Amino acid sequence: MTGRMRGAAMAAMVTAIVLSGCVGDDDAAEPSASPIEPSASAEPSASLAPSATPEPSPSAPAEQPDAAALVAVPLGVGCDVLVSPQALYDFNPNVGTDPAFDPGAWALAPVAAQLQGSACGYLNQTSGERIAVSAARVAPESVAALAEQVASRGAAFRTAGATSTLEVLAGDRWIVVEAPSFFGEGDLQPLADAARASTGG
């Protein structure tokens, strides 16, 4: 081998050795990224809502009549007589007998019925407003007790909730007119007067 050839061979060997030191650089493991996420801070607990203020309880209702404490005398007056057609017409031409009258929808009408009296309903044919007129008679020994019961409920005319009430005592007779609350005493008085006249004046 000539000297030139030996030189070339030696150069090739050196190059191979140098290149062998680069193998694996690309395959070296890169440091894994391990970002640390900040932990979520605990949210403050919701404050307790203030407790609801209790609503005031409704006032006690007026004392109700005690029919059992009274001795009743049958009244014997029908609804077409208690408030006559002429009295109804004078009160309001649109008012007539209520065919669907329910005494239980009123506070005092059922008591008059328990006392063997009359509980009558009248209807405004135009507006649909309903009115109850009731009357009862008690024995002489119960007149004072009836007066005490009526007085215990306050004024003869009063409005409570959706109802206006007018109570009238005429000797041994108890007359009640119940109507929607927008009726005043002057509105109901003619009906009470008519019932009083038809039961004995």
Side-chain angles (χ1 to χ4, degrees):
M1 178 181 297
T2 64
R4 182 175 292 179
M5 294 179 63
R6 285 196 191 97
M10 289 295 291
M13 291 177 62
V14 171
T15 302
I17 292 172
V18 173
L19 291 176
S20 65
C22 297
V23 174
D25 288 349
D26 294 338
D27 297 335
E30 295 181 1
S32 59
S34 58
I36 301 175
E37 297 181 358
S39 59
S41 59
E43 295 181 358
S45 58
S47 60
L48 295 176
S51 57
T53 303
E55 296 182 358
S57 58
S59 58
E63 184 177 345
Q64 293 300 305
D66 183 6
L70 304 172
V71 178
V73 174
L75 187 63
V77 176
C79 291
D80 57 339
V81 175
L82 185 66
V83 180
S84 68
Q86 183 61 52
L88 279 179
Y89 184 86
D90 293 342
F91 172 72
N92 188 325
N94 294 320
V95 174
T97 303
D98 183 1
F101 175 62
D102 176 15
W106 304 93
L108 300 180
V111 182
Q114 292 175 25
L115 292 171
Q116 304 178 60
S118 299
C120 306
Y122 304 98
L123 174 68
N124 186 315
Q125 310 291 338
T126 302
S127 66
E129 298 155 2
R130 286 183 159 84
I131 299 174
V133 180
S134 308
R137 188 187 305 273
V138 298
E141 62 269 27
S142 292
V143 171
L146 174 62
E148 289 178 2
Q149 289 191 20
V150 172
S152 71
R153 290 188 286 277
F157 174 79
R158 58 192 177 274
T159 297
T163 304
S164 289
T165 303
L166 175 63
E167 290 189 78
V168 175
L169 286 175
D172 60 353
R173 286 160 294 138
W174 175 51
I175 297 163
V176 182
V177 183
E178 298 171 278
S181 59
F182 55 81
F183 281 89
E185 182 175 4
D187 299 323
L188 303 185
Q189 191 66 54
L191 295 174
D193 292 343
R196 178 173 177 169
S198 66
T199 57

